Amino acid sequence: MLRPQETSSRERVGLSGLWAFVLDAGDRGREEEWWRGPLPDASEMPVPASFNDVPATRDAHDHVGDVWYQRQVRIPARWEGRRVVLRFDAAAHRAVVWWNDVEVGRHEGGYTPFECDLTEHVRSGEPGRLTVVVDSRLDLGSIPPGIVDTLPDGRRRQRYFHDFFNYAGLHRAVWLYTTPRAYVDDITVTTEVTGTDARVHYRADAVGGHVTEVVLRDADGVERARAASAEGTLDVPGATLWRPGHGYLHRLEVRTTGAGGETDEYVLPVGIRGVAVDGDRFLINGEPFHFRGFGKHEDNPVRGKGHDDVLMVHDFALLDWIGANSFRTSHYPYAEDVLEYADRHGIVIIDETPAVGLNFEIAHTLVPGDPPHVWAAIDGTTQAAHLRAIQELVARDKNHPSVVMWSIANEPDSARPEARTYFEPLVRAARAADPSRPVCFAQVQLPPAEDVMSDLFDVICLNRYYGWYVETGDLVTAERELEAELRDWVRLHGKPIIITEYGADAIAGVHSVAAGTWTEEYQVELLEAFHRVFDRIDAVVGEHVWNFADFATGYGVGRADGNKKGVFTRDRRPKAAAYALRRRWTGKTPT
Ligand code: GCB
């Protein structure tokens, strides 16, 4: 799915700004058909932003259910006769969209984009009323799953099985854009590198016309290859490759022509690189790659999961400062701005679906009467939503060179036989959607002998909390048990291993000579114990600390104003662990 862009034939208008907003606590909006007029008693809400923390009330923070957004939009007069599309980069978690009185689209899944074709509904030069209802609820049919309880006083309470706050709303950009009636609908690119030979395989889908020209240029604009068909392979001998740390991008210009002779043009950035798994190595351009970095979150005071360019650029600067070369989009697809930035700067990404919380045992939120385990609770609806989440992720991110692997779930219950039955078709679907990248999932603390599904995947990704959730406070035992377990994985699977999570909570400013839990010293010592083990085991090809920064969670006795496993605080100040990692990853001392 192509992101809107400006080209010789395309224009886009950003709809960021203040929208009219109503928190629909009484569930009145759908019944009273609020899209038919101005929203009643509306306040104002910035878009993009999660709505929860903006109004400064507990009601907004904890709201479970519908919120309504509305604004007027004028269609530029010069768009007469053209195709007009509305694009939401994300709406968490279910949305319905109306243009004036007409429903023009709906979507489920809070982290992938969707479009509404307005062509037949708009008059160029005239304004229209755009209304969106966004439902924040997570249920057993959604990804991620959740349960909504109705309390005796009528209020709703949202439970979920994942460890980050359920921020919701329009937390990414909204666009109005135009193309000619005949247009480039999609482009799929895969690249291959053998020695000094580089190839770009492409397919371009046109609607209402046909592909007339495909041109590949290097970063200086010099033409490197050309074709005139919708599908093919471009040879680019001696191409400058996209490499970790060096985000070199070519660009692929695709032109289509419609029956009336009108041309559409889309320009896709292309990083030429090869990704492969070979034995226990992870290769990028044929060279072993060692992942250094983090599991992150989109999380930010006040904005919640609202995308923010300032924070994004700063986070990448901190990744650079600390010597990280990669991160995982734990636990959902991040804003496309983030992937584009990583493409340009050579940061490597493990791209994850929102399938987090498919595991009731570790969530501590079950109540009497709930199903005993996740596989007894969910049905085909959840799996269908999960399948859509995989397909939408791949459709959105398939062309990003920074993305080197798909993670299709975080910490699902992988001990019960039902897990294998559930995941087998999903792994097949991921490979069918993109045969060019390895597929993994992040596995919860479970030894290889008890795991029923890791053999289905290409890379063993392990979230391990020795010294924190197990062997709490005893790093000697933690180090020994971690090493023993990793050696079992090597023996039984022989695949590359990435530790996709390890870490300890540390409250910034809490210190102790005894280095007890929750201190900055303990966080450092735990990371160092893990690193000693990693350095003794060749098959460990990656270390992603949990987490880059402290982040918001739901309420809980194990959480002190959120999760404190960040090596940076929520406002991005370094803890002692940040300096320790910087020393390990760059060799630089604090000064
Ligand atoms: C995990 C989860 C992550 C949590 C983390 C923790 O295993 O994957 O979402 O935040 O542990 O800190 O407990």
Side-chain angles (χ1 to χ4, degrees):
M1 184 183 200
L2 299 177
R3 199 160 194 228
Q5 62 174 213
E6 305 259 341
T7 66
S8 58
S9 58
R10 293 175 169 234
E11 272 186 69
R12 69 175 186 190
V13 176
L15 299 182
S16 298
L18 294 177
W19 293 43
F21 178 81
V22 178
L23 206 66
D24 190 3
D27 285 335
R28 287 167 44 209
R30 296 189 199 235
E31 180 99 13
E32 295 172 9
E33 305 192 338
W34 281 356
W35 58 90
R36 294 194 185 279
L39 293 179
D41 303 319
S43 59
E44 292 185 72
M45 180 60 69
V47 174
S50 304
F51 66 80
N52 309 73
D53 290 347
V54 178
T57 64
R58 176 102 184 222
D59 283 350
H61 182 75
D62 292 347
H63 180 71
V64 179
D66 285 345
V67 295
W68 293 76
Y69 292 82
Q70 193 177 67
R71 61 167 283 166
Q72 296 289 311
V73 177
R74 185 178 289 278
I75 308 298
R78 60 183 183 280
W79 291 10
E80 179 66 45
R82 296 171 56 90
R83 175 171 167 261
V84 178
V85 184
L86 193 59
R87 204 243 204 200
F88 292 83
D89 279 4
H93 297 281
R94 294 183 173 98
V96 186
V97 183
W98 292 267
W99 178 260
N100 294 324
D101 290 352
V102 183
E103 180 183 322
V104 289
R106 48 176 68 212
H107 183 258
E108 174 177 340
Y111 304 97
T112 39
F114 64 99
E115 295 191 338
C116 312
D117 191 330
L118 297 186
T119 313
E120 303 308 324
H121 306 288
V122 296
R123 291 240 277 269
S124 48
E126 293 193 0
R129 190 179 54 252
L130 173 60
T131 310
V132 188
V133 62
V134 184
D135 185 351
S136 72
R137 270 170 285 197
L138 298 172
D139 56 34
L140 290 176
S142 63
I143 289 292
I147 294 175
V148 176
D149 299 312
T150 304
L151 304 173
D153 61 9
R155 282 180 307 125
R156 290 195 188 113
R157 203 157 57 195
Q158 174 78 66
R159 281 188 280 150
Y160 39 89
F161 315 103
H162 54 76
D163 181 38
F164 57 92
F165 185 72
N166 184 35
Y167 281 116
L170 294 180
H171 41 218
R172 294 184 191 155
V174 183
W175 308 96
L176 184 71
Y177 74 93
T178 184
T179 71
R181 295 273 183 150
Y183 59 95
V184 183
D185 186 42
D186 197 15
I187 306 173
T188 308
V189 158
T190 54
T191 60
E192 203 189 322
V193 175
T194 347
T196 54
D197 287 339
R199 279 198 200 93
V200 176
H201 307 285
Y202 73 91
R203 204 192 66 227
D205 302 321
V207 169
H210 59 279
V211 175
T212 43
E213 193 174 40
V214 176
V215 181
L216 184 77
R217 295 185 192 279
D218 65 19
D220 295 323
V222 176
E223 183 176 316
R224 300 300 310 270
R226 168 182 287 270
S229 54
E231 191 164 358
T233 297
L234 305 171
D235 284 311
V236 205
T240 303
L241 301 183
W242 188 97
R243 289 188 276 110
H246 184 66
Y248 189 93
L249 295 175
H250 288 72
R251 54 177 208 263
L252 189 74
E253 300 167 357
V254 175
R255 293 190 187 88
T256 58
T257 305
E262 76 275 31
T263 302
D264 185 29
E265 177 186 58
Y266 195 91
V267 183
L268 184 77
V270 172
I272 303 180
R273 54 106 184 96
V275 170
V277 170
D278 181 21
D280 64 3
R281 310 278 81 184
F282 193 100
L283 305 178
I284 299 183
N285 300 334
E287 288 172 19
F289 180 69
H290 188 90
F291 294 77
R292 297 187 310 261
F294 300 92
K296 281 186 97 261
H297 264 300
E298 291 188 313
D299 177 81
N300 184 348
V302 190
R303 290 173 175 80
K305 295 200 175 305
H307 173 74
D308 177 42
D309 279 343
V310 176
L311 192 77
M312 176 185 76
V313 175
H314 188 57
D315 278 4
F316 276 98
L318 292 177
L319 290 173
D320 185 50
W321 174 86
I322 208 166
N325 59 14
S326 56
F327 61 88
R328 175 170 59 121
T329 70
S330 42
H331 297 307
Y332 37 81
Y334 289 2
E336 285 156 275
D337 315 68
V338 175
L339 295 149
E340 290 168 358
Y341 196 95
D343 288 346
R344 290 194 297 275
H345 295 269
I347 298 292
V348 170
I349 288 179
I350 300 174
D351 207 2
E352 189 157 278
T353 70
V356 53
L358 287 167
N359 193 333
F360 290 175
E361 267 89 350
I362 53 172
H364 309 299
T365 54
L366 294 187
V367 297
D370 278 345
H373 59 83
V374 66
W375 309 121
I378 60 163
D379 57 24
T381 328
T382 323
Q383 198 193 30
H386 195 160
L387 174 65
R388 273 199 313 278
I390 294 170
Q391 288 169 335
E392 290 186 16
L393 174 69
V394 175
R396 193 193 76 161
D397 291 349
K398 61 189 173 184
N399 295 323
H400 288 288
S402 54
V403 174
V404 299
M405 178 154 66
W406 307 112
S407 166
I408 64 168
N410 182 70
E411 297 193 348
D413 171 346
S414 56
R416 293 191 165 77
E418 294 93 324
R420 195 175 177 92
T421 318
Y422 177 93
F423 271 97
E424 252 174 343
L426 296 180
V427 177
R428 258 201 314 278
R431 295 194 194 287
D434 177 16
S436 78
R437 288 179 180 85
V439 181
C440 69
F441 78 105
Q443 199 254 28
V444 71
Q445 187 97 31
L446 196 69
E450 290 174 33
D451 172 284
V452 300
M453 57 185 245
S454 281
D455 60 298
L456 301 172
F457 296 83
D458 301 303
V459 175
I460 304 293
C461 289
L462 305 176
N463 297 351
R464 288 299 178 268
Y465 286 97
Y466 291 103
W468 189 253
Y469 293 122
V470 295
E471 307 304 351
T472 312
D474 178 358
L475 292 175
V476 175
T477 309
E479 184 170 339
R480 192 179 59 240
E481 290 185 357
L482 171 68
E483 178 156 5
E485 195 208 330
L486 293 186
R487 293 202 184 280
D488 280 348
W489 283 99
V490 172
R491 203 173 46 253
L492 291 167
H493 287 274
K495 294 180 180 176
I497 298 172
I498 301 174
I499 311 303
T500 32
E501 288 184 23
Y502 63 110
D505 285 85
I507 296 183
V510 174
H511 297 282
S512 152
V513 285
T517 51
W518 295 88
T519 64
E520 293 197 35
E521 289 75 19
Y522 190 77
Q523 189 182 31
V524 171
E525 289 186 11
L526 183 143
L527 298 180
E528 286 174 346
F530 273 68
H531 295 153
R532 285 192 292 275
V533 176
F534 299 166
D535 294 345
R536 293 196 287 264
I537 299 183
D538 286 347
V540 172
V541 301
E543 48 196 75
H544 276 179
V545 175
W546 191 257
N547 188 286
F548 174 74
D550 295 345
F551 59 90
T553 63
Y555 308 117
V557 292
R559 294 288 172 259
D561 186 33
N563 187 308
K564 293 285 188 276
K565 293 194 188 67
V567 308
F568 295 99
T569 59
R570 202 179 186 208
D571 62 354
R572 277 42 179 178
R573 290 166 192 262
K575 301 181 192 171
Y579 292 103
L581 286 168
R582 185 171 191 251
R583 264 193 307 277
R584 172 172 171 82
W585 290 343
T586 69
K588 290 182 188 150
T589 52
T591 51

